[in-house]
Amino acid sequence: MQDICEDLLKGLNEEQKTAVSSTEGYVRVVAGAGSGKTRVLTTRYVYIAKVLGVAPSRILSVTFTNKAAKEMKKRILRYMPDEDGGWILTFHGACNKILKEEIHRLHYPSNFLIMDEEDQKSLLKKIYEENGLTLKDHNFKSCLDAIGVYKGKNGYVPYFSDPTGQTAAPGLPRADEKGSLDFITKKYLELQRKNYFLDFDDLVFFTLQIFYDFDDAREKWQRQFEYIQVDEFQDVSKPEYTLVEMLSLLNKNMFVVGDPDQTIYTWRGADIRLFLDFDKAFGGVKTIVLGKNYRSTPEILAVGNSLIRHNTQRIKKDLVAVRKNGVKTRYFHAATRQQECEFIAGEITALHEKGVPLGDIAVLYRSNYMSRSVEDAFLKYGVPYTVYNGVEFYKRKEIKDAVAYLRMFVYKDDLSFSRIVNVPARGIGKKRLAAISALAQNENLTLYQAFSKLADSALFAGTGAKKLLNVIEEGCIRAQAADVDVSDLLDFALKKSGYEEYLMLCGDQNRLDNVNELKAAIKDFVDEAGEHVTPEEYLNAVALISNSDSEDKEQSVKLMTVHTAKGLEFPCVFVCSLNEGLFPSQKIENKQQMEEERRVAYVAFTRAKDRLYLTDSDGFDLQTKGRLMPSRFIFNIDESLIDKSGVMTDEYLHAALEYIRASEYALNHPSVPDFRTYLGGDRVRHPVFGDGTVTGRQSGCYVVKFDNGNVRTISEGSGVLKPI
């Protein structure tokens, strides 16, 4: 046992050893960027299992991405080759596994279907079509945001779980106003309940509801998990926090790891206070700081430390580099955006000529649209690049279509039916689809049940309806067989439905290659599981895959947003478009949001291992509709820490500093009128009238057409309008 312990702790620094061996009670680890937190989490898991002798099934280890969970499992296998890491999961993965055993308590079947974002949009599309709505009413993003906010504020789960269907959805006062967000939310909930759909929010809220309502279920899972550890704790939302808090109350062993300086997901519900106040929430909390950075040079860390010290909502710490000296961070100010991007292209070309692989270089920006100028310069200079824009394999149309056939065989749900019914074309157009939808609504049927009744009718004569019905029925029988092979089921679906032939007729080899890759992915999934996999198990696994799970191994420069880059590292990093209104974003309205924006910049800087470049430009920007000013984050860095180049006149520097001073004053004094000037076309928000568009100026007032149809004149000096 002593040998195992020594082997596990070998190579760890003192703070890491303390974290690994602190197994009892509530422990908070402040793990700075590049401080080896994944190694600590993995080693601690093995320590509890091998040194303390605790069964792995009693250890819940929660991560935020499937990629992180997979990496943990991979490392654990080195010490525990027989361990499957069954409870090393994301929050949603853990809730899914718990609900498989417990959701019957809420009168839901255990084979509920998990919707990803594309499924949610398909559901909204169906609602829009059935109710004569258009995107002019509300775009899908606004709807999904509103539904997410609704679910976070209302105890809606009893509406889903009432077997009589009599419970009304709470908190929707405008549900009868056709086209309102309340109306759309209610229709969304109705379709969810009818088809037994759960979205990602539901997985957490349904689990919490069961724990609130059923003492025996809560106590069962509290006994199950003797040890709980949570990765990236700075990113947890209040419901997620409540979940792990509740599970820890019996054994009182919870280990949380994170870095409040990297809290950049408040728009997803992350609350930095949960990490900062963790010691106040529980008695006797032990706090350990991992401040040694194994990733970056001292010069890069000095820049990051200098920047983040300007935040007040944090646990004070400075990262200390383990590595020896490197090169100073470079800051280049360009006269134009084109010049800025050509500088980046030129520097990358020079680095590559010196032997730096292109795959070791990343260009980071605040928002996706900022990549355009960089791409133009790369095309001009012949620099190979790959844009990481969040669109991954499982969101490609042909993959969604193929998976929808599998889902149809398992669930017979409305979303899958709507996707496959006329792909490939079977003559089932809008008129026939409307007939199916009408029957489904009138008799409270699913779309497939209605289709089954109509397929033999005169209305569907001469179509492929009967053939499709036969394919689905045979597919359902195959899917329920005890020895069903998921790969064979997919082959059956693609061939019998005519979809594979349809792709061949399209003549798009890339799409055919993608479908073949899906078959390979299923095989890999089954091989990795090491046991029989049902179609339902595979479909749920596909739904839980995150954007970050895909990898691109091409030898090209990587272009991505900072949020996409979180958790990654690169030898050379360029952070571009560091201008006011761009980075930080023009949407910042208060000091707290500015602190998060500074954390986003901190995350960007600390992705770099060997070289860090910061760039901005002068000129007029169409996004901010004003002259570009250098980002305040440049001025937040001690001037001695960066190597400056480019030309910035004293007049321009003075104007930039005055702009930033006025902005900072407004953020710290929110009652002071906004100093911005709005132009026609600018989107604005009014505290009473809501969102609108500036259409012009008249006699010292802005003329604003609000989204509710009203037109108002708002005094320029009132300061009540805020940018969206």
Side-chain angles (χ1 to χ4, degrees):
M1 189 65 66
Q2 183 66 28
D3 290 341
I4 295 174
C5 184
E6 289 179 359
D7 185 44
L8 279 173
L9 300 180
K10 184 171 59 179
L12 299 179
N13 64 42
E14 290 306 312
E15 293 80 11
Q16 291 172 333
K17 288 178 182 177
T18 301
V20 168
S21 58
S22 298
T23 59
E24 309 307 305
Y26 290 93
V27 182
R28 174 178 63 177
V29 176
V30 184
S35 62
K37 71 176 180 64
T38 303
R39 184 178 182 185
V40 166
L41 281 164
T42 304
T43 306
R44 186 176 183 274
Y45 182 101
V46 177
Y47 186 94
I48 292 171
K50 301 290 282 186
V51 177
L52 302 188
V54 176
S57 61
R58 301 292 185 180
I59 308 169
L60 173 63
S61 194
V62 185
T63 70
F64 267 78
T65 65
N66 288 285
K67 182 178 180 180
K70 189 174 181 179
E71 177 61 25
M72 275 196 68
K73 291 178 182 179
K74 180 180 175 182
R75 295 192 187 192
I76 286 168
L77 283 174
R78 298 173 189 170
Y79 292 95
M80 305 166 63
D82 298 328
E83 167 57 21
D84 65 357
W87 286 104
I88 302 173
L89 296 163
T90 62
F91 270 103
H92 297 115
C95 289
N96 176 49
K97 199 167 180 177
I98 291 170
L99 288 175
K100 286 297 179 184
E101 294 189 32
E102 306 295 345
I103 202 169
H104 65 89
R105 298 171 183 267
L106 299 179
H107 308 286
Y108 244 65
S110 61
N111 66 334
F112 56 85
L113 188 150
I114 302 172
M115 296 190 296
D116 61 16
E117 188 174 328
E118 290 302 306
D119 294 329
Q120 291 177 285
K121 290 178 180 177
S122 295
L123 209 62
L124 289 173
K125 183 179 179 183
K126 174 178 167 59
I127 292 168
Y128 274 41
E129 290 173 348
E130 290 179 350
N131 294 279
L133 303 178
T134 70
L135 292 176
K136 292 181 180 178
D137 295 292
H138 300 283
N139 62 44
F140 286 173
K141 183 180 185 304
S142 297
C143 293
L144 293 179
D145 287 345
I147 291 167
V149 170
Y150 166 81
K151 289 185 175 182
K153 291 184 177 180
N154 296 275
Y156 71 96
V157 177
Y159 165 79
F160 278 80
S161 58
D162 178 7
T164 68
Q166 300 302 307
T167 301
L172 294 171
R174 300 178 58 197
D176 294 332
E177 296 179 27
K178 192 171 184 178
S180 70
L181 285 172
D182 282 1
F183 175 86
I184 294 168
T185 298
K186 185 172 185 293
K187 292 294 183 183
Y188 179 93
L189 297 176
E190 287 174 353
L191 284 174
Q192 274 199 267
R193 183 170 67 171
K194 175 182 172 183
N195 290 279
Y196 299 116
F197 294 155
L198 294 185
D199 60 30
F200 277 21
D201 287 336
D202 298 324
L203 293 173
V204 177
F205 287 122
F206 270 56
T207 305
L208 284 172
Q209 190 73 44
I210 289 170
F211 288 170
Y212 285 135
D213 292 349
F214 301 96
D215 293 346
D216 61 325
R218 182 181 66 252
E219 291 165 6
K220 166 189 169 183
W221 293 100
Q222 286 174 336
R223 289 192 300 271
Q224 171 77 33
F225 302 125
E226 297 177 20
Y227 292 88
I228 298 170
Q229 52 185 35
V230 185
D231 189 15
E232 303 286 10
F233 193 72
Q234 79 280 350
D235 290 332
V236 299
S237 64
K238 183 62 176 177
E240 291 164 342
Y241 172 89
T242 302
L243 180 67
V244 290
E245 176 193 33
M246 196 179 294
L247 287 171
S248 75
L249 290 178
L250 178 64
N251 294 298
K252 302 187 186 310
N253 292 322
M254 184 157 70
F255 180 88
V256 301
V257 185
D259 183 4
D261 287 339
Q262 297 187 70
T263 302
I264 63 173
Y265 290 111
T266 57
W267 47 277
R268 287 185 185 171
D271 187 346
I272 192 173
R273 293 170 299 179
L274 299 176
F275 193 102
L276 298 178
D277 297 339
F278 188 77
D279 56 336
K280 300 173 186 175
F282 303 97
V285 171
K286 183 176 184 178
T287 296
I288 302 164
V289 178
L290 303 182
K292 291 182 180 177
N293 177 285
Y294 293 85
R295 174 188 299 158
S296 307
T297 64
E299 290 80 4
I300 292 171
L301 292 186
V303 168
N305 289 334
S306 183
L307 171 76
I308 204 64
R309 287 190 199 114
H310 289 265
N311 275 10
T312 57
Q313 281 195 307
R314 63 188 299 259
I315 296 173
K316 291 184 178 180
K317 71 177 189 309
D318 274 348
L319 292 179
V320 178
V322 173
R323 297 179 57 189
K324 295 181 180 179
N325 293 345
V327 296
K328 198 181 248 190
T329 293
R330 288 194 62 184
Y331 163 57
F332 177 72
H333 173 75
T336 65
R337 176 59 47 76
Q338 180 182 354
Q339 187 186 100
E340 175 189 357
C341 295
E342 289 183 352
F343 166 80
I344 294 172
E347 284 296 310
I348 289 174
T349 300
L351 288 171
H352 188 48
E353 288 174 352
K354 293 177 182 177
V356 178
L358 292 176
D360 285 355
I361 303 172
V363 179
L364 310 183
Y365 34 79
R366 180 63 179 82
S367 301
N368 273 311
Y369 73 87
M370 297 176 188
S371 73
R372 183 192 61 81
S373 297
V374 180
E375 292 184 68
D376 287 347
F378 281 10
L379 289 169
K380 179 179 178 180
Y381 283 82
V383 177
Y385 67 90
T386 301
V387 179
Y388 285 66
N389 58 7
V391 179
E392 82 265 37
F393 180 77
Y394 287 97
K395 287 186 179 178
R396 295 170 187 169
K397 182 184 183 303
E398 58 273 15
I399 301 305
K400 293 289 289 184
D401 289 344
V403 171
Y405 274 102
L406 286 181
R407 292 199 339 179
M408 195 65 207
F409 295 162
V410 176
Y411 300 107
K412 297 184 180 178
D413 64 285
D414 284 2
L415 288 180
S416 300
F417 178 81
S418 297
R419 189 168 192 103
I420 69 165
V421 63
N422 206 40
V423 180
R426 298 185 174 93
I428 306 175
K430 290 184 178 180
K431 181 180 177 180
R432 293 183 172 96
L433 288 174
I436 295 170
S437 182
L439 181 61
Q441 286 186 305
N442 292 337
E443 297 187 16
N444 195 29
L445 303 172
T446 65
L447 291 178
Y448 180 69
Q449 289 169 336
F451 173 69
S452 300
K453 286 191 170 187
L454 294 172
D456 282 326
S457 68
L459 179 63
F460 286 82
T463 70
K466 187 64 178 176
K467 181 180 178 182
L468 176 62
L469 184 67
N470 292 337
V471 169
I472 294 173
E473 289 300 323
E474 185 177 349
C476 291
I477 294 171
R478 287 171 178 253
Q480 293 167 9
D483 60 346
V484 60
D485 182 286
V486 184
S487 296
D488 290 342
L489 189 63
L490 179 63
D491 274 331
F492 168 83
L494 296 175
K495 287 183 171 61
K496 292 293 184 179
S497 68
Y499 190 77
E500 198 164 60
E501 182 181 4
Y502 157 73
L503 288 182
M504 291 177 181
L505 291 173
C506 289
D508 190 335
Q509 188 59 45
N510 288 332
R511 296 174 69 186
L512 283 168
D513 290 343
N514 287 336
V515 171
N516 288 331
E517 186 62 25
L518 176 63
K519 296 175 184 177
I522 293 175
K523 182 179 183 302
D524 289 343
F525 180 82
V526 173
D527 289 346
E528 186 173 341
E531 57 186 10
H532 178 69
V533 173
T534 67
E536 179 188 341
E537 288 170 340
Y538 173 72
L539 289 169
N540 278 338
V542 168
L544 291 167
I545 291 174
S546 68
N547 284 352
S548 59
D549 289 339
S550 59
E551 295 181 356
D552 191 321
K553 298 179 181 178
E554 293 181 20
Q555 277 303 302
S556 58
V557 178
K558 298 169 175 61
L559 273 60
M560 66 187 78
T561 64
V562 180
H563 285 86
T564 301
K566 189 172 185 292
L568 304 177
E569 59 183 43
F570 310 93
C572 301
V573 170
F574 291 77
V575 185
C576 68
S577 301
L578 278 162
N579 289 97
E580 288 293 306
L582 301 179
F583 198 176
S585 167
Q586 64 178 328
K587 298 178 181 179
I588 302 304
E589 295 182 350
N590 54 52
K591 182 180 177 181
Q592 290 71 34
Q593 290 177 355
M594 185 58 74
E595 290 213 351
E596 175 160 6
E597 198 75 353
R598 188 175 284 109
R599 292 193 292 268
V600 175
Y602 176 76
V603 167
F605 296 176
T606 54
R607 298 311 93 199
K609 297 168 66 175
D610 304 326
R611 295 176 182 270
L612 175 63
Y613 295 80
L614 312 177
T615 67
D616 66 5
S617 61
D618 196 348
F620 183 84
D621 183 69
L622 292 175
Q623 293 290 336
T624 61
K625 296 181 174 65
R627 187 180 183 186
L628 289 169
M629 300 290 183
S631 170
R632 70 195 66 194
F633 301 151
I634 296 295
F635 298 110
N636 285 165
I637 302 167
D638 188 325
E639 194 172 357
S640 66
L641 300 177
I642 53 180
D643 182 9
K644 295 182 179 180
S645 58
V647 178
M648 188 185 299
T649 65
D650 290 342
E651 178 186 1
Y652 178 72
L653 177 60
H654 176 74
L657 292 173
E658 278 299 303
Y659 179 93
I660 292 167
R661 182 200 61 76
S663 172
E664 287 288 334
Y665 188 82
L667 291 174
N668 290 307
H669 301 80
S671 61
V672 174
D674 194 291
F675 65 89
R676 291 179 175 84
T677 298
Y678 298 106
L679 302 176
D682 282 356
R683 293 284 292 167
V684 293
R685 179 165 293 151
H686 188 281
V688 175
F689 303 135
D691 295 349
T693 303
V694 175
T695 60
R697 297 164 76 177
Q698 180 181 312
S699 304
C701 295
Y702 294 113
V703 180
V704 183
K705 182 176 182 181
F706 289 96
D707 293 352
N708 60 14
N710 294 329
V711 177
R712 307 280 187 179
T713 53
I714 309 297
S715 171
E716 290 182 17
S718 67
V720 298
L721 295 177
K722 302 294 181 185
I724 298 178

